[in-house]
Amino acid sequence: MLHTQIGIIGAGPAGLLLSHLLARAGIDSIVLENRSRGYVENRVRAGVLEQGTVNLLSEVGLGERLHKEGMAHHGIEIRFNKKSHRIDFDELTDGKGITIYGQQEVVKDLIAARLKQDGKILFDVSNVSIDDPNSDAVKIKFHHADSEQELHCDYVAGCDGFHGVSRESIPGDERVEFNREYPFAWLGILVAAPPSADELVYANGPDGFALHSMRSPSITRNYIQCDPEDSIEAWSDDRIWQGLHDRLETVADWKLQEGEILEKGITPMRSYVCETMRYGRLFLAGDAAHIVPPTGAKGMNLAISDISYLSTAFIERFKTGSEKLLESYAANCLRHVWRGEHFSWYMTSLLHKFPQSSPFQERLQSAELEYLRQSTPASRSLAENYVGFNFD
Ligand code: RFL
Ligand code: PHB
């Protein structure tokens, strides 16, 4: 039988950062992850870090490689109707920006930092279940290294993503949930080619959405809107490139550079919130509690925001015995979560082709894009949301 103060399920950015922040305050935790270390370190996901995320990671000793290899960006470009509109963060926000740094790089930095301090992360666990989250004797049962194990803990942090077991441990009739699925998905490719632009390019065209993003001076990341029912086999490399050229090359003298496709996959789009982020001694954080469509680049940033609150609340609990911050945990997170939900829904609605949309809805979308181009306050609002709000 194992014992720890905080049992953490999931070694994504949320679970690993929580473990790191707790260790800095002398609080013991064990992280249980059902994938291998190699798998989580190479899983291609988010790329945009808000200023607040960068600040937090830097303050807690995780900024070294991030500052060396991360790419600071001062704006994004939006293309539609063969026009280009730049959202200039320097001009439109109070000096904030974003940093392009792959989520798997954050995960690598976190794992290295934890292991350097003898932090406990168990990879390749299976059959994880939470026993009695509502009692004082909460424990996590799991299978690891050919044996059944029990982890007794004071609290459990469910950081196991949207498909994890933590949220399902809360009885369905106790969960307050909101869900919306979108009638499209993103096909993402990682490419061995230098970026074709200095900043991210979001495009809305007659055939749908496309995004040109990047990971480094030699690697790009591109996305194209597709049908959620499409299989990846339906998208040959030629079809992907043709779609990206058509949707992105809509302004004079701009060409998208092709390269070897290193990875490709389809991601469904959904908005989801489970407001019941606490159930007894179980606390949900990150994608386990909420999902946003990736158009606003908010998912990982919201996971980090949750952990900023959760770590502070656990630290107060173990230093002073007070549960006050644990009690306000969900309410504090949800202010940011719903702002992120709204912005991600807004960006998604603005930039995609909705299969069933009427000519009326299409005109509304064009009117909104045109308003963004003409109006500094409208652009300022987008910029303010994109770079993110402070974690206060
Ligand atoms: P994660 O990263 O999903 O980590 C959960 C971990 O839990 C493990 N797990 C289990 N472990 C033990 N037992 C079980 N039963 C388990 N079930 C699952 C999983 O293996 C995994 O290691 O959740 P976390 O930590 O909450 O982090 C959230 C972020 O990963 C997510 O929000 C972002 O990737 C979303 N996202 C983006 N976010 C941004 O902030 N900026 C972006 O630019 C951005 N772009 C994106 C994105 C997500 C995308 N996809 C693929 C969903 C672009 C895409 C295409
Ligand atoms: C990415 O680079 O993966 C990325 C960038 C912006 C988004 C989503 C994903 O909105």
Side-chain angles (χ1 to χ4, degrees), residues 67 118 148 246 318 378:
H67 287 287
D118 293 326
E148 301 304 323
D246 288 349
F318 284 103

Side-chain angles (χ1 to χ4, degrees), residues 9-14 32-35 40 43 45-48 103 128 159-161 164-165 223 267 286-287 294 297-301 303:
I9 307 178
L32 306 177
E33 165 61 50
N34 66 356
R35 300 285 192 164
V40 299
R43 182 166 45 195
R45 285 246 184 122
V48 176
Q103 176 171 321
V128 176
C159 304
D160 47 354
V165 294
Y223 296 98
T267 306
D287 278 16
K298 290 286 165 237
M300 177 165 64
N301 294 294

Side-chain angles (χ1 to χ4, degrees), residues 291-318:
I291 293 287
V292 285
T295 330
K298 290 286 165 237
M300 177 165 64
N301 294 294
L302 287 174
I304 304 274
S305 158
D306 288 354
I307 293 305
S308 161
Y309 287 113
L310 189 55
S311 58
T312 310
F314 279 142
I315 292 166
E316 185 195 60
R317 162 67 184 79
F318 284 103

Side-chain angles (χ1 to χ4, degrees), residues 45-48 186 200 202 211 213 215 221 223 294-297 386:
R45 285 246 184 122
V48 176
W186 278 16
L200 271 55
Y202 289 82
L211 167 62
S213 179
R215 287 293 178 273
R221 178 88 170 133
Y223 296 98
T295 330
Y386 199 94

